[in-house]
Amino acid sequence: MTAAATLPPEINDASAWYGPAMLQDQSWLTHFTPDEVAEVEAAMRRIASGPDAVAAQLTPADFPLPILGPRLAGIRAEVLDGRGFALLRGLPVKHWSLRESAIAFLGIGSHLGSARSQNARGHILGHVRDMGLSSNDPNVRIYQTHERQTFHTDSADIVGLLCLQVAKSGGHSALVSSVTVFNEMRRRRPDLLAHLLAPIETDRRGEVPVGEKPYFTIPTYNWHDGHLSAIYQRQYIESARRFDDVAPLTPEQVEAYDLFDALCNDPALNFHMVLEPGDVQLVHNHTLLHDRTAFEDWDDPAQRRHLLRLWLAPKQARSLPPVFAQRYGSVTPGERGGIIVPGTQLTVPFEAV
C-alpha cells in the first residue's frame, strides 16, 4: 500500500484554489451599496447613542439590516462552503469615530456569527496595531508587533477584519488555500503529509484555560465528517518546545513543516491583497491560512496602521472533530472558538489597549 492510499482523498471543490486565478477573477471583491451603507449607519447611530454594554451584546435584532442582511448570509455561505473568503469595500470609516466604526463592525458581525473572545482579557473586538512588542516574548502574539505574521489560522471559524488606517508601507494581507497545500503535498510528498495528520503541540502563549496544559495538541490537518480542516501557527509549534514535557521536533517533522511553509509561500498558490480603509475582509480559518507582511508605520500615532478584528462562530459552520475542543472550548457550531481563561469577562474595548 502506498503512503497516499492511507491519506484522506484529494479535494477538488471551490476551496481548492490557486492565487493567480483569484487575482484574475475578483468576484470575491464586492462593494457596499449606498443603501447598505445608509442602513448600517442608521443602525449604528441608534446603538451609539446608548451605553457601551448594549454595543457589546449586539444581535441581528438589535442591528437590523433588511437590505444588507440577506446578502451577508450569502457571503457567509461562500466563506464557509465555497472559496473561503470575501472582501466588502466601502464603509465610510474616515467619517466615523473609532467607536462608531467599532459598533458598525460589531453590528455587521452579528449577522455572520457569535463574537468570541480573542484574548485572556475577554476582548470580543480586537485592535490590530503595532504595540511596540516583540514575538521573542513567549507571551506576546504576533499581531501586536510590526513583524510579518507568516501563514497561520486563528482560533475561530471566521476571522473578520475592518481596515481603519493603513501603514506607511507594507502590512498587506496574504491568503492561501490550506486545501490546495494539502493537495500539493499529497501529490509530491505523501510521506511528509502523514506527519501533518498526527497530533502536534502548539503553544498557547500564556493564555491557558482551566484544566488545560499551556499548549494544545491538535493535528495541523484534520479529516472529519467529509471535511478537511487546518489549524496552524509554525512559530507557536516551535515555541511549545520550551515546555519540559514536549519533545523536540523530529527531522521528519521539520521537513514536513518546511515543505508546508514553502508551499504556503509559493506565489503559484497564494496571493496578496491590499486592504483599504473601509474594507471588511472575511476569512474561513478551516480552509485558508492568512498572513500579513511586515510593515513600516507612520511617525504620527494618529496615522498608524489600525484594523479591527472579530472572531466569529456561525451556527451554520461545519462539524469539527472533538480534539478541537482543546482550543475552541467546544465543537458546537455557534458556541465555539475564542480564548477563555480564569476570570475572563467578555468586553468590547473601544480604544486600542
Side-chain angles (χ1 to χ4, degrees):
M1 181 179 294
T2 64
T6 65
L7 299 171
E10 185 170 315
I11 298 165
N12 295 295
D13 59 24
S15 67
W17 49 259
Y18 288 82
M22 289 295 103
L23 283 175
Q24 290 185 354
D25 174 18
Q26 294 195 5
S27 58
W28 44 267
L29 170 60
T30 60
H31 291 73
F32 290 99
T33 68
D35 287 343
E36 290 169 344
V37 170
E39 69 176 12
V40 168
E41 185 156 21
M44 176 267 285
R45 297 287 179 207
R46 286 194 296 272
I47 300 299
S49 64
D52 288 352
V54 174
Q57 303 178 44
L58 289 180
T59 67
D62 300 321
F63 205 92
L65 299 175
I67 301 172
L68 179 58
R71 189 156 81 93
L72 288 175
I75 291 170
R76 179 183 58 210
E78 181 62 36
V79 170
L80 293 175
D81 303 314
R83 73 172 68 89
F85 69 97
L87 185 70
L88 293 87
R89 176 159 287 167
L91 288 182
V93 296
K94 291 186 177 180
H95 302 290
W96 293 344
S97 69
L98 174 56
R99 184 173 181 271
E100 290 169 341
S101 294
I103 292 171
F105 190 34
L106 286 161
I108 290 171
S110 73
H111 287 260
L112 297 167
S114 169
R116 315 306 291 174
S117 171
Q118 299 177 40
N119 56 32
R121 291 174 288 177
H123 294 171
I124 63 169
L125 179 74
H127 292 264
V128 182
R129 301 190 72 179
D130 177 15
M131 307 298 288
L133 304 173
S134 170
S135 64
N136 291 328
D137 182 337
N139 292 318
V140 166
R141 287 164 56 194
I142 299 173
Y143 76 87
Q144 299 169 307
T145 76
H146 68 273
E147 303 166 23
R148 180 193 171 186
Q149 286 194 293
T150 74
F151 283 101
H152 67 284
T153 61
D154 286 353
S155 297
D157 298 306
I158 292 175
V159 57
L161 292 173
L162 169 60
C163 181
L164 300 179
Q165 295 181 154
V166 298
K168 183 177 181 181
S169 63
H172 298 162
S173 174
L175 300 176
V176 69
S177 164
S178 55
V179 177
T180 299
V181 174
F182 172 88
N183 288 342
E184 290 292 335
M185 286 193 72
R186 195 180 190 281
R187 296 167 193 162
R188 302 181 192 193
R189 291 296 304 273
D191 58 317
L192 294 181
L193 179 57
H195 291 285
L196 304 189
L197 287 147
I200 189 72
E201 301 88 354
T202 300
D203 196 348
R204 295 183 188 273
R205 307 294 277 190
E207 298 176 321
V208 185
V210 174
E212 297 287 353
K213 295 181 178 181
Y215 54 86
F216 57 87
T217 307
I218 304 175
T220 295
Y221 280 122
N222 298 264
W223 179 250
H224 175 74
D225 197 22
H227 295 295
L228 182 75
S229 301
I231 183 167
Y232 184 70
Q233 173 57 277
R234 177 71 179 267
Q235 293 99 319
Y236 299 172
I237 289 174
E238 292 183 345
S239 68
R241 309 304 118 187
R242 65 193 172 105
F243 300 112
D244 292 340
D245 58 342
V246 176
L249 294 173
T250 67
E252 294 78 15
Q253 286 176 312
V254 171
E255 187 178 7
Y257 285 113
D258 284 351
L259 176 57
F260 182 90
D261 288 339
L263 289 167
C264 288
N265 287 293
D266 187 342
L269 273 66
N270 68 40
F271 79 104
H272 290 71
M273 65 173 70
V274 179
L275 301 185
E276 301 176 1
D279 283 357
V280 173
Q281 183 194 62
L282 302 170
V283 172
H284 189 211
N285 280 298
H286 306 316
T287 61
L288 268 71
L289 299 108
H290 56 281
D291 188 6
R292 181 203 70 205
T293 63
F295 63 90
E296 178 188 0
D297 228 337
W298 302 95
D299 293 332
D300 181 356
Q303 289 185 291
R304 289 177 183 167
R305 184 181 188 271
H306 192 176
L307 291 84
L308 299 180
R309 184 177 63 193
L310 291 173
W311 282 0
L312 299 170
K315 293 182 179 179
Q316 301 82 359
R318 63 174 56 185
S319 60
L320 291 173
V323 70
F324 266 73
Q326 285 187 46
R327 183 56 170 171
Y328 279 51
S330 164
V331 292
T332 302
E335 302 175 10
R336 67 195 189 196
I339 297 169
I340 301 294
V341 302
T344 294
Q345 293 184 342
L346 299 183
T347 183
V348 175
F350 286 106
E351 300 293 332
V353 291

